[in-house]
Amino acid sequence: MRLLLTIAYDGGPYAGWQSQAAGDAVQDFVEEAFRRIAPRRVSVHGAGRTDSGVHALGQCAHADVPGGMSPGDWQRALNANLPPLIRVVGLREVPREFHARFSAKGKVYRYLIRNRAVLPPHEFGRVWHLPQALDLGALRLAAKVFTGHHDFTAFSVNRGKAVPDTARTVRRIALSSRSGLVKVTFEGDGFLYKMVRMLTAAMVRVARRREDLDALRQRLEQGAPKWNHVAPAGGLYLVRVLY
């Protein structure tokens, strides 16, 4: 039986999603929970990576499990064996041909910015605290620069091997602000390594009048020079994987 898991986690204590040699990634803990329940080893295949410190509301993964338990039973058993900062919030059976990564049609990320002089203590590690004034109109103009189909070479980090195709379609970048909490929501067919955090940092620099829109547009079109500002990991959330 193939199961699709929807997983939420506070990424602060973990080395991202993907399994690490030290066993301190979210995937490691999910596979360890399966090890405690299942009679054989169960591999968990994620929809994609999240970096160290990045959170998830709707990370997705699939796993092939032996019969004998219902999806609801698996969900309860997994949550009983996971640390409290990782939870399986949804679980259902899917066809054998389904793949958490290769069946995905897109992803939704959200970046949170607390734009107030004082950061509420419970938001530490969960938002980017920017006490300086932000021009939200300029932030929206910068978002329009990045919306659409572009080669995002200048706004990604090479993991150590060349990415064959750095073109992506950002379908929308939506902004909202209430009581000093700015939410920037990205939806696209896929995102490169650190791309969302780099786009957010670029938009913020425009909103703080430290970057020119035309220079940003030129950098995007030419693929150079490489952007070297990255928003903190703690403000980023993987909201949903689209299938």
Side-chain angles (χ1 to χ4, degrees), residues 9-241:
Y9 49 86
D10 181 330
Y14 304 110
W17 161 262
Q18 185 164 323
S19 181
Q20 301 293 315
D24 56 352
V26 175
Q27 183 181 5
D28 295 313
F29 285 90
V30 177
E31 290 187 341
E32 172 62 18
F34 270 115
R35 188 192 66 78
R36 296 178 182 181
I37 304 163
R40 58 171 174 79
R41 186 177 185 276
V42 174
S43 297
V44 176
H45 304 273
R49 304 178 182 185
T50 54
D51 299 334
S52 177
V54 173
H55 313 295
L57 305 177
Q59 171 69 287
C60 288
H62 79 262
D64 294 329
V65 300
M69 292 173 60
S70 70
D73 290 336
W74 280 108
Q75 183 176 1
R76 285 185 288 272
L78 286 168
N79 284 333
N81 285 278
L82 283 168
L85 294 184
I86 304 174
R87 279 292 172 266
V88 178
V89 295
L91 193 151
R92 61 185 175 90
E93 185 176 359
V94 290
R96 280 282 179 176
E97 60 269 20
F98 176 89
H99 193 286
R101 177 184 175 189
F102 299 118
S103 299
K105 305 298 183 185
K107 292 178 183 175
V108 178
Y109 283 92
R110 182 168 296 134
Y111 200 95
L112 301 184
I113 300 168
R114 175 57 72 184
N115 190 212
R116 281 287 185 267
V118 178
L119 176 69
H122 63 277
E123 292 183 354
F124 180 78
R126 293 178 173 84
V127 301
W128 183 7
H129 181 215
L130 286 174
Q132 306 88 351
L134 290 178
D135 182 339
L136 296 182
L139 199 68
R140 289 187 172 89
L141 289 175
K144 290 182 179 180
V145 171
F146 294 128
T147 304
H149 186 75
H150 304 284
D151 185 336
F152 286 96
T153 297
F155 294 91
S156 64
V157 177
N158 195 329
R159 288 180 181 269
K161 60 181 180 180
V163 178
D165 183 7
T166 51
R168 297 291 186 274
T169 300
V170 177
R171 297 168 187 152
R172 67 182 179 100
I173 303 177
L175 279 76
S176 67
S177 177
R178 183 176 181 181
S179 302
L181 183 63
V182 180
K183 299 180 181 180
V184 188
T185 302
F186 298 80
E187 180 182 329
D189 60 0
F191 296 91
L192 300 165
Y193 182 42
K194 294 190 177 179
M195 174 178 157
V196 174
R197 291 165 60 193
M198 295 177 88
L199 297 185
T200 301
M203 293 164 58
V204 164
R205 286 184 66 82
V206 170
R208 294 178 64 187
R209 305 187 186 280
R210 293 186 174 183
E211 194 73 29
D212 181 78
L213 265 179
D214 289 335
L216 203 67
R217 191 177 292 109
Q218 185 176 22
R219 187 189 300 259
L220 179 65
E221 292 172 354
Q222 295 180 356
K226 281 278 191 177
W227 186 256
N228 57 4
H229 299 280
V230 183
L236 183 59
Y237 296 75
L238 172 57
V239 175
R240 186 181 176 192
V241 181

